[in-house]
Amino acid sequence: MRLGAVADDVTGACDLAGRVAEAGLPASVLLGTPAADAAESAAVDAFPANGSGCAVVALTVRTAPVAQAVAESTAAARFLVAAGATQLYQKYCSTFDSTASGNIGPIADALASVIGAAATVGTPATPAAGRAQYQGVLFVDGVPLAESPMRDHPLTPMRDSNLARVLAPQTPAPVGLVRWEDVRLGPDAVAARVRDGHTLVDALSEDDLDVIAGAILRLAAEGPVLAGGGAGVATALARAEVRESGAVRTDDTALPPVPVTGRLILAGSASAATRGQLAAFGGERHILDPRSLGRDPRALDRIRDALTVREDPRAPVVVHASADVAAAQRELGADRAAALLDEAFGDLAAFAVHELGYSHLLVAGGETSGAVTRRLGIRRLQVGAQAAPGVPWAVADSRDDTGSLSRIAVLLKSGNFGGPGLFTDAWEVAP
Ligand code: ADP
């Protein structure tokens, strides 16, 4: 199997690639669809020359305007198909982050049409990350989605836990549900209940995901089907492939070492897990408040100065967004506040890596990771060991404004992921 995934954000792409690699399928993440002049060589490198693998194109379209999200996702899918993907996968967030206008539904419609699939099948459920779907309702760590901290996400507040109801207004295609009682009957029963349009399947455990993967493989043997969801179903597809073909973790996924010359944590996420990690972190920290960024051009310079003075390059330094999201959004508007933060995090990353030679970067937050990797000119992540489930380290080449390359280790973390000690412990398994 050559699993080609289109991910709507960068940390989601890493989540999928990290879990799939751990299941035994070599994985890489491309940051954006390669430009026309680079597409041919990127297509050759996308999958291992002989055998199975996974290539993920990471986009930043979770909250982009619908037309842009659809156009970019379509281009990514076409690239993956041309590179030899045998199964296309739509990766969205395990907390189904979206609004009434999209973008999960419009992207599903677009990707299905690229491969001529009448049906899409999947689930955001990723039990290993505490996400389960039952009777169409998504639970986050045992709490219905709309009662979880996702209720107050700055960009995609989730106020309904019933996924069929969330998805229906996003697409003209019918939205169906396969209930857990049918999942218990096995892959044939699930496959038999899939109708044209979008089918969301309940899953409470890894075994349930294996059943869904089995159903997808049966359907795919009959004709094209778009698989989709969180990282869970993709991992189950990888497990099925490893069982089938014996693909194993290879040197492709053992990363070259990166000598430690500076460790920087950039946290733009306001999610509960990131707040816990910040609270547990005992080292040096600096706060970025979008309100002062808007008012005081020296606010960023002060943090730059602090990053320049480093006594111990092994001691991680944190720069994080201020906690009072509501106040900043009231004063600046959500978009302007996020744009100021994105730009500031990108500038600090470029300054730390290109001017100061920092070697290791941990970024918390999907949007934030997109902004930082773009600013660093990173095109491809070679994915290795996970510091926590869904949070793999990667090695990448960062390109400065003159085109010269610096090899760095990067960990891009979805805001919701990782235990409280991550900002202190993650370095132990870093390349
Ligand atoms: P997550 O992975 O937790 O969703 P993201 O980086 O994707 O994290 O999204 C968090 C968003 O919230 C970012 O766009 C960030 O700029 C915004 N944000 C974080 N802190 C603040 C704040 N204090 N004021 C306004 N917006 C904020």
Side-chain angles (χ1 to χ4, degrees):
M1 177 194 293
R2 292 170 158 221
L3 186 63
V6 178
D8 65 359
D9 86 341
V10 177
T11 50
C14 291
D15 175 19
L16 187 151
R19 290 177 198 269
V20 160
E22 187 157 285
L25 211 56
S28 63
V29 174
L30 298 161
L31 295 165
T33 304
D37 57 346
E40 209 167 305
S41 67
V44 172
D45 293 339
F47 296 100
N50 303 303
S52 302
C54 171
V56 191
V57 175
L59 303 175
T60 311
V61 297
R62 185 167 292 169
T63 56
V66 175
Q68 179 193 340
V70 163
E72 290 190 25
S73 302
T74 301
R78 289 199 178 123
F79 165 81
L80 287 166
V81 170
T86 56
Q87 176 62 56
L88 193 63
Y89 193 92
Q90 178 192 5
K91 167 67 176 69
Y92 49 76
C93 188
S94 65
T95 46
F96 217 71
D97 299 13
S98 53
T99 66
S101 57
N103 289 336
I104 293 175
I107 294 174
D109 292 329
L111 298 192
S113 98
V114 167
I115 55 170
T120 80
V121 183
T123 177
T126 304
R131 317 299 192 244
Q133 181 190 317
Y134 182 64
Q135 307 297 329
V137 171
L138 183 65
F139 292 83
V140 179
D141 296 326
V143 177
L145 176 64
E147 295 164 38
S148 77
M150 285 306 298
R151 185 178 172 76
D152 297 315
H153 187 277
L155 305 176
T156 50
M158 301 305 291
R159 301 283 163 93
D160 190 344
S161 308
N162 183 303
L163 299 180
R165 257 189 337 240
V166 174
L167 185 55
Q170 299 181 25
T171 171
V175 175
L177 175 66
V178 178
R179 294 176 196 279
W180 184 74
E181 288 74 7
D182 292 320
V183 174
R184 297 313 289 161
L185 301 176
D188 289 330
V190 173
R193 279 160 183 75
V194 170
R195 302 275 173 271
D196 286 0
H198 306 301
T199 301
L200 291 162
V201 190
D202 283 348
L204 304 180
S205 65
E206 294 299 316
D207 288 348
D208 293 341
L209 293 178
D210 287 334
V211 170
I212 298 172
I216 290 167
L217 293 172
R218 279 166 175 70
L219 291 164
E222 310 282 313
V225 59
L226 176 69
V233 181
T235 312
L237 284 166
R239 278 198 293 269
E241 175 61 13
V242 170
R243 271 196 304 273
E244 182 73 19
S245 73
V248 286
R249 198 181 174 89
T250 65
D251 285 348
D252 292 352
T253 50
L255 301 183
V258 178
V260 181
T261 50
R263 291 169 163 168
L264 177 62
I265 300 170
L266 299 172
S269 160
S271 294
T274 301
R275 293 199 167 170
Q277 286 149 1
L278 286 170
F281 179 76
E284 179 182 336
R285 64 171 70 213
H286 305 278
I287 299 177
L288 273 183
D289 184 333
R291 290 171 294 180
S292 32
L293 287 170
R295 283 196 292 258
D296 172 12
R298 292 255 327 130
L300 205 53
D301 289 342
R302 284 191 285 274
I303 299 180
R304 281 204 189 94
D305 292 346
L307 292 181
T308 308
V309 186
R310 266 177 307 159
E311 273 161 24
D312 175 8
R314 304 186 73 81
V317 182
V318 168
V319 182
H320 66 89
S322 54
D324 196 346
V325 179
Q329 290 188 336
R330 256 196 319 276
E331 187 173 318
L332 299 163
D335 288 350
R336 171 93 181 121
L340 282 167
L341 285 171
D342 280 358
E343 194 185 335
F345 280 121
D347 279 356
L348 288 175
F351 179 70
V353 171
H354 300 149
E355 309 283 325
L356 305 177
Y358 277 62
S359 55
H360 286 66
L361 211 56
L362 190 166
V363 189
E367 297 285 333
T368 311
S369 293
V372 166
T373 49
R374 263 195 309 280
R375 183 68 179 79
L376 288 178
I378 295 174
R379 294 185 185 159
R380 185 168 191 263
L381 301 170
Q382 205 186 331
V383 172
Q386 300 190 102
V391 187
W393 277 103
V395 167
D397 289 325
S398 170
R399 206 170 260 92
D400 72 10
D401 297 337
T402 67
S404 92
L405 298 178
S406 318
R407 171 138 303 182
I408 55 169
V410 231
L411 184 150
L412 307 176
K413 180 193 95 76
S414 161
N416 288 312
F417 281 11
L422 187 78
F423 290 176
T424 311
D425 305 341
W427 318 100
E428 287 163 20
V429 296

